Amino acid sequence: MFVKNFFRGGTTVPHSKNTAGCETVKMGVPEKVTIPMLQHIGAPCEPCVKKGDTVRVGQIIGNSNKYISSPIHSSVSGTVTDVAPMLYAGGVYVTSVEIKTDGNQEVYEGIKPPNFSNSNEFISVIRESGLVGLGGAGFPAHVKLSPPPGIKIDTLIINAAECEPYITSDYREIIENSWNVISGINIIMEVLEIDNVLIGIEDNKPEAIKEMTRVAATNDKINVIKLKSRYPQGAEKMLIYATTGRKVPPGKLPADVGVIVMNVNSVSFISEYTKTGMPLIKKRVTVDGPSVKRPSNVEALIGTPVSEVFNFCGGFGIVPKKILMGGPMMGIAQFTLNTPVLKHTNALLAFDETSAVLPQEQACIRCGRCVKACPMNLLPLYLNNNSLKEEIEELNKYHVMDCIECGSCSYVCPAKINLVQSIRLGKAQVKQAAAKGGK
Ligand code: SF4
Ligand code: SF4
């Protein structure tokens, strides 16, 4: 085990890993699930079922012929009651399949362990599994595992940093299923011929480091790297630098420096999937925050309403003011509890009036703290101004698209300026301008 490099910038956040000791509890089957056709980065899926159809567990209900996309499967058996645009995390409408469950959880007849004997077959099997990055980003795994032609991958990095406060989903995977993690890693190593694996874990999780070191001792090509706890240590570029010392240039991908990064839950899923053939239909979710009666780690079927997950954890002891899907640094605020659990939902947090208070924005005092905290070497205060004024050229000049939306700048800003929200808007403006032919 090594303690490696340390990235520039970032910030220290309270860890609040209150649920680290909470063993995962399985939720039952809800009466109804709502499964959106967009649960990944890339092209949305087209529904391949219609109202009135009977579906079974693991059956494909949405697919796309686009490369950057991922099929979507039914998490339940039952009857499709609607296929229509429905409210999605973040407040937009996305075509979704609503299924009334029958409680039998009958498995689709096509479910069986997949066969693959080379890397191409493996990649297509991973696509069929519906796996997307389970750390929260939702990038299709088959794309990650397919480096562009001519690029040699020499290192697989397993992301177990879990630097966001509150979330303990990755931690629990290591504690509960460490052999699955190793087995998933071994499969990828063998199929993609990778000889070096580094598992990055922050030093605030000594039990996870101990457990992974114990199981990794079975393969001398797998090493556990103890990382300093600093947010956003789990961001891809930071993790690559921390574990290998390699810097991914702006606009480039991990593969450009010979690396693939996979979340610890994702590799564990690969192990399970190769044994059973059951695609991605469930997710471990950390449920926490001052309003939650019984903070827990819950295994929920994809499509389960968020309200039912909170109810399963005893409901709210204190009326929540703010609900987040994801962690407090990068999570998305929800304005209804009707949204469903998605493939990459790793946390549901409920904050009360006191903990969710939104401070009044003050004028920038040009202290430079946001610049110091930015792990991507950006100038958040400039990007904020450019975004507010819709200055597309300036936004591009200051590399707004390199922002990883980690929120470190907003967190440290003494003037409480909503920098990351404004920068996100700036990114949307740049994308819109590019779609219109550029400015
Ligand atoms: S941290 Fe806030 S106050 Fe300081 S320079 Fe950045 S935007 Fe201005
Ligand atoms: S500008 Fe973007 S990358 Fe830099 S600290 Fe702010 S949110 Fe993070």
Side-chain angles (χ1 to χ4, degrees):
M1 190 212 319
F2 311 95
V3 181
K4 283 279 190 131
N5 308 295
F6 192 43
F7 66 91
R8 178 211 167 272
T11 184
T12 307
V13 291
H15 303 303
S16 308
K17 303 283 188 183
N18 312 316
T19 55
C22 298
E23 202 173 324
T24 312
V25 193
K26 269 190 196 174
M27 263 187 86
V29 183
E31 273 184 23
K32 177 193 88 172
V33 292
T34 306
I35 305 184
M37 294 292 104
L38 182 60
Q39 300 189 48
H40 47 262
I41 290 174
C45 290
E46 289 296 325
C48 42
V49 290
K50 57 183 189 321
K51 192 172 170 179
D53 283 356
T54 304
V55 291
R56 292 187 180 162
V57 180
Q59 180 176 340
I60 289 191
I61 55 169
N63 212 341
S64 164
N65 56 13
K66 297 280 189 296
Y67 177 58
I68 303 185
S69 187
S70 182
I72 289 169
H73 304 79
S74 177
S75 56
V76 295
S77 61
T79 307
V80 175
T81 46
D82 206 358
V83 179
M86 293 178 205
L87 202 56
Y88 184 67
V92 290
Y93 281 82
V94 166
T95 301
S96 305
V97 174
E98 188 185 83
I99 305 167
K100 186 176 182 322
T101 61
D102 59 17
N104 299 328
Q105 288 303 80
E106 271 181 67
V107 174
Y108 183 60
E109 56 270 22
I111 301 296
K112 58 176 188 318
N115 287 318
F116 55 90
S117 55
N118 56 47
S119 58
N120 286 342
E121 287 173 8
F122 175 66
I123 302 297
S124 90
V125 153
I126 294 298
R127 190 189 192 283
E128 281 164 28
S129 77
L131 178 62
V132 302
L134 298 180
F139 194 76
H142 66 278
V143 182
K144 267 200 172 191
L145 292 167
S146 317
I151 287 190
K152 169 74 187 145
I153 300 297
D154 60 33
T155 303
L156 170 67
I157 298 175
I158 304 302
N159 191 349
E162 207 162 48
C163 58
E164 271 256 10
Y166 289 97
I167 310 176
T168 59
S169 174
D170 291 349
Y171 176 81
R172 289 310 310 175
E173 189 62 22
I174 292 174
I175 299 301
E176 296 173 27
N177 298 315
S178 56
W179 285 110
N180 260 357
V181 176
I182 290 295
S183 150
I185 291 172
N186 283 332
I187 293 168
I188 299 173
M189 285 177 82
E190 194 182 324
V191 180
L192 300 188
E193 298 177 357
I194 298 175
D195 280 341
N196 183 34
V197 178
L198 305 171
I199 305 173
I201 310 177
E202 282 194 335
D203 59 8
N204 63 351
K205 304 171 191 76
E207 287 306 314
I209 292 174
K210 194 168 144 198
E211 179 58 14
M212 269 335 293
T213 305
R214 183 180 76 82
V215 291
T218 51
N219 185 337
D220 61 7
K221 291 174 179 164
I222 306 176
N223 282 297
V224 176
I225 308 284
K226 184 163 126 183
L227 306 164
K228 282 190 189 169
S229 299
R230 186 160 178 87
Y231 183 82
Q233 183 68 87
E236 224 166 49
K237 290 188 178 183
M238 278 77 248
L239 185 66
I240 293 169
Y241 180 66
T243 50
T244 65
R246 299 178 198 176
K247 288 186 178 168
V248 183
K252 296 287 179 185
L253 296 169
D256 293 306
V257 296
V259 162
I260 290 176
V261 182
M262 297 285 290
N263 170 266
V264 69
N265 266 295
S266 301
V267 289
S268 196
F269 168 82
I270 289 175
S271 164
E272 266 308 296
Y273 177 66
T274 55
K275 284 182 231 158
T276 64
M278 181 55 74
L280 185 59
I281 57 157
K282 60 186 183 184
K283 184 71 180 74
R284 179 189 296 105
V285 182
T286 297
V287 187
D288 199 356
S291 285
V292 177
K293 260 198 187 157
R294 271 200 320 270
S296 316
N297 275 301
V298 171
E299 184 183 284
L301 293 169
I302 287 160
T304 302
V306 162
S307 55
E308 294 203 23
V309 181
F310 280 117
N311 285 342
F312 184 72
C313 298
F316 300 121
I318 310 170
V319 180
K321 171 84 175 169
K322 188 175 192 177
I323 306 281
L324 287 181
M325 187 175 275
M329 298 298 284
M330 292 187 75
I332 305 282
Q334 307 295 300
F335 55 87
T336 161
L337 292 176
N338 293 332
T339 47
V341 169
L342 307 173
K343 287 181 182 181
H344 54 287
T345 304
N346 50 13
L348 289 168
L349 306 178
F351 294 93
D352 61 1
E353 181 98 42
T354 328
S355 52
V357 69
L358 264 186
Q360 193 69 36
E361 276 192 352
Q362 308 289 326
C364 171
I365 54 168
R366 304 225 147 213
C367 65
R369 280 186 216 175
C370 55
V371 179
K372 205 169 158 209
C374 180
M376 298 300 290
N377 296 322
L378 302 176
L379 300 170
L381 74 166
Y382 284 15
L383 292 172
N384 174 47
N385 286 337
N386 301 147
S387 167
L388 295 175
K389 293 180 191 159
E390 295 192 35
E391 296 170 338
I392 307 298
E393 269 179 30
E394 297 291 296
L395 283 165
N396 278 320
K397 183 175 145 192
Y398 291 116
H399 305 285
V400 72
M401 298 313 283
D402 288 346
C403 169
I404 56 170
E405 302 180 16
C406 67
S408 299
C409 50
S410 302
Y411 186 76
V412 298
C413 175
K416 303 296 169 207
I417 299 172
N418 297 318
L419 294 164
V420 65
Q421 290 84 348
S422 157
I423 294 169
R424 243 182 228 151
L425 207 64
K427 288 171 81 172
Q429 290 163 10
V430 167
K431 279 189 205 155
Q432 217 170 34
K436 280 187 196 157
K439 260 192 194 179

